[in-house]
Amino acid sequence: MNGAGRRPRPISSRSSSGETVIELRGVSTTYEGERTPALHGIDMSVRRGEFVAIVGPNGAGKTTLLEVVLGLLPLSSGRGSVLGCDLARERYAIRRRMGYVIQNFELDPLAPFLARDVVMMGFAGSLGPLRYPSVHDREAAVEALSRVGMSMMADRPAGKLSGGEFQRLLLARALATDPDIILLDEPFANLDASARASVGSVVDRVNQAGATVLMVSHDLHAIPSRCARAVLMDRGRIVLDGTMEAVLSSREIDELYGGCCH
Amino acid sequence: MWLPPALMITAVAGAVLAGFTCSVMGVFVVRMNLSSIGFAMSHAAFAGAAFGIMIGSDPLPMALLASFLVALVIGPVSHIAGLRPEIVLGFLFSLLIALGFLFLHMVPGEATSGAALRILWGSIFGVSRYEVVALGALSAVVVVFVALFNKEIAAMMFHRKLAEASGIDTQAFLTAILFMTGFSVALSLKLVGGLLVYALMINPTSTVYQFTFDFRKMVIGSPIIGMTTCLAGFWASLLWDLPVGTAIVLVSAIVLAGAIVASPKRRRG
Ligand SMILES: Nc1ncnc2c1ncn2[C@@H]1O[C@H](COP(=O)(O)OP(=O)(O)OP(=O)(O)O)[C@@H](O)[C@H]1O
Ligand SMILES: [Mg+2]
C-alpha cells in the first residue's frame, strides 16, 4: 500500500469505550480522471461516541475522507466498514444512519424550497423508498430547527437565508433523523463568533447524547471543547492521530499551519 | 377552421396530455440540472423521427430510440471529454438538427411530404388515437411516480450529492426521469414539432418558478400552466389558422415573459 512508508506517528493511546463504528484499513481512493490518489493508505478507526476533529490545510483530503466514509467514492485499495456494514457493498444502509453537512454549498436564492422542507429532506434518505415521515418525524424536524436556533426561520425560503443561517439549517437537516454518526464539513465556515459557540454547543450535546461526530475544520480555534481527538491530514495522508492537545502542540502542526495556532 | 368531433377530441386530448407530461418532467429536468440532456434528447427525438420517416417506418419508435441513445451517451461522453454543458448543447443541437434535415431531405418521393412537415412544424392531425392513449398512460405513470417518490425527488432537486449521501439511489431516479422525459418528448413531437418540443418542458416550469418558493406548488402549478398554454395555443391555431406547434410555443413564451415581468419573487425579502 502507498502509505506504508509513512505511518502516522502514534502519540498516545486513547481510552475510549464502545464498539468500533468506523474502520478504514489501507484505504486509497483516486478521483476519476486523476493520476494521483486523493487519499493514500488511510488507517483509521473510530469508536461509538467519539468526537473526532479532522484538521489539515486546503486540499489535504478532509472532504474526500468524509465522502469515503459515506461510501460516495469507490476505494481503489483497502477495505472499510461503517456501523458494521461493508463500505463497498452496503452503501445505502450505511448512509441512512449518518448525517452529513456538506461544505460550501450555495443555493440559488430563488430555489423553491422552504427551510422546513429542507429539514424534512433528511428523512427522504433515512426512511427509504415508499415510506413516509410520521408525526414523530415531523416533530423531530421542528425540534432540530429549534436546537440550531432556527425556529423563527421555518417558513423562510432556504435560498434567502444568510450563509450562517443556511449552514445551521443544513445542520438541523442532518440532526433531524437522529443519526448514529454525524459528519460535519467546515460547519463553522460562515458563522460569526456567537453562532459558532451556539452551533458548537449543539454538536457537543448531540455527541453527549451518544452520536459519533467527525468534524472537519481547518480553523483549529473553532473546534468545540468536547472534541478529544484530532486527526491531522496532509496531501492525502494521515500525518498525526492523537489527543487534541498532543496534535495541537506537535511540530507537524507547526509546519503545516506555520506556527499560527499557538 | 372546422374539424370533425372525433378528430377534435383526439387533438384536444393530445394537446392537454402533452402539456401535462412535458411540463411535469420539465420541473425535474430543470431543477436537477438536466437541461442540456433534456434539450439534446428532444432534438434527438426529432432526428430519430426524421430517420423513421426516411426509412418508411413509424417515426415514434425511432424518436424514442434516438432520444434514449443520446441520454445514454451524452452523460459519459461529456464527462470523459471534459466538455462544458454549453458546448455539448450547441454541438449536439446543430448536429441533431442537421441529421434530422438530412433524413427529411432523403425521404423518397415528395420531399415535402405531409409526414415530414408534420414532425417539423407539428400538426393537430399528427397525433393519432393510439398516441393519445400512450400519452394518457404516460401521464398516469408520471402521476404515480410523483405521488410515490415526491420526497426523493424533492431531495434530489435540492442537492443531488446530499440526496445520494442521505441514502437515496439517485442514479435509479435519474434513469427513471430520463426515461419518462424521452417518452414525453417523443410522444409530443408530432403535436408541436421537433424544433419546438423542448419549449413545452422548459416554459411552464420557468413560469411557475417566478411565483413560488414551494416545490409542491411548482410540481402542481407547472402542469396547470402547461395544459392551459397548450389548449390556448391550440385554440389560437384554429382561430388564425397557424401551425399548432408554433401557436402553442408563442402562447407559452408570452405567458413566461409576462410572468418574468410580474414576478413578485425577486422583490420579496
Ligand atoms: N472531484 C474531484 N476531482 C478530482 N480531484 C479532486 C476532486 N475533489 C477533490 N479533488 C482533489 O483531491 C484532493 C483533496 O481534496 P479535498 O476536497 O478532500 O480537500 P480538503 O482537505 O477538503 O480541502 P479544503 O480545506 O479546501 O476543503 C485535492 O488535491 C483536490 O484537488
Ligand atoms: Mg473540503
Side-chain angles (χ1 to χ4, degrees), chain A residues 106-256:
Chain A
E106 279 187 27
L107 187 65
D108 164 12
L110 301 183
F113 302 100
L114 303 176
R116 60 186 155 86
D117 298 329
V118 174
V119 181
M120 288 307 295
M121 281 171 196
F123 292 103
S126 71
L127 290 173
L130 301 177
R131 295 180 60 211
Y132 303 93
S134 62
V135 175
H136 176 262
D137 294 335
R138 288 181 191 286
E139 285 167 2
V142 171
E143 157 74 16
L145 267 181
S146 90
R147 270 197 280 175
V148 299
M150 290 279 293
S151 294
M152 309 288 287
M153 302 286 177
D155 290 314
R156 288 266 294 165
K160 298 220 165 176
L161 298 175
S162 75
E165 290 164 346
F166 187 61
Q167 192 90 20
R168 284 189 279 162
L169 177 63
L170 293 182
L171 178 61
R173 169 184 162 147
L175 298 180
T177 56
D178 193 20
D180 293 321
I181 301 177
I182 295 167
L183 307 173
L184 306 163
D185 201 347
E186 303 285 2
F188 302 117
N190 290 307
L191 303 186
D192 59 30
S194 85
R196 201 175 278 202
S198 74
V199 166
S201 76
V202 171
V203 177
D204 269 351
R205 258 176 286 143
V206 173
N207 176 242
Q208 205 157 18
T212 308
V213 178
L214 261 63
M215 176 187 283
V216 167
S217 181
H218 64 255
D219 182 357
L220 303 167
H221 300 290
I223 297 166
S225 56
R226 260 191 81 81
C227 177
R229 176 180 170 194
V231 171
L232 175 63
M233 297 188 70
D234 182 35
R235 279 170 282 174
R237 297 171 200 270
I238 293 179
V239 181
L240 277 179
D241 182 351
T243 64
M244 199 73 211
E245 305 84 67
V247 170
L248 281 183
S249 58
S250 66
R251 75 183 139 74
E252 285 86 347
I253 204 145
D254 270 354
E255 285 161 15
L256 288 172

Side-chain angles (χ1 to χ4, degrees), chain A residues 30-34 36-39 54-67 73 103-104 185-186 216-218 233 235-236, chain B residues 161:
Chain A
T30 308
Y31 281 103
E32 238 182 281
E34 298 290 315
T36 50
L39 291 180
I54 298 167
V55 298
N58 291 140
K62 306 182 295 295
T63 299
T64 308
L65 180 61
L66 294 190
E67 294 198 348
L73 296 171
Q103 180 182 17
N104 286 339
D185 201 347
E186 303 285 2
V216 167
S217 181
H218 64 255
M233 297 188 70
R235 279 170 282 174
Chain B
K161 187 186 254 179

Side-chain angles (χ1 to χ4, degrees), chain A residues 32 67 72 92 95-96 102 105 108 110-113 117 121 124-125 128-129 131-132 156-157 160 173, chain B residues 79 148 151-152 157-159 161 164-169 209 213-216 218 265-266 268-269:
Chain A
E32 238 182 281
E67 294 198 348
L72 291 172
Y92 292 104
R95 290 174 194 166
R96 286 178 186 148
I102 204 165
F105 158 26
D108 164 12
L110 301 183
F113 302 100
D117 298 329
M121 281 171 196
R131 295 180 60 211
Y132 303 93
R156 288 266 294 165
K160 298 220 165 176
R173 169 184 162 147
Chain B
H79 185 73
L148 292 182
K151 72 184 201 307
E152 283 84 359
M157 291 201 292
F158 181 69
H159 194 279
K161 187 186 254 179
E164 178 73 26
S166 74
I168 296 171
D169 186 350
Y209 183 69
F213 284 105
D214 186 337
F215 73 91
R216 281 166 290 254
M218 285 203 61
K265 228 171 144 177
R266 289 163 220 278
R268 201 162 60 203

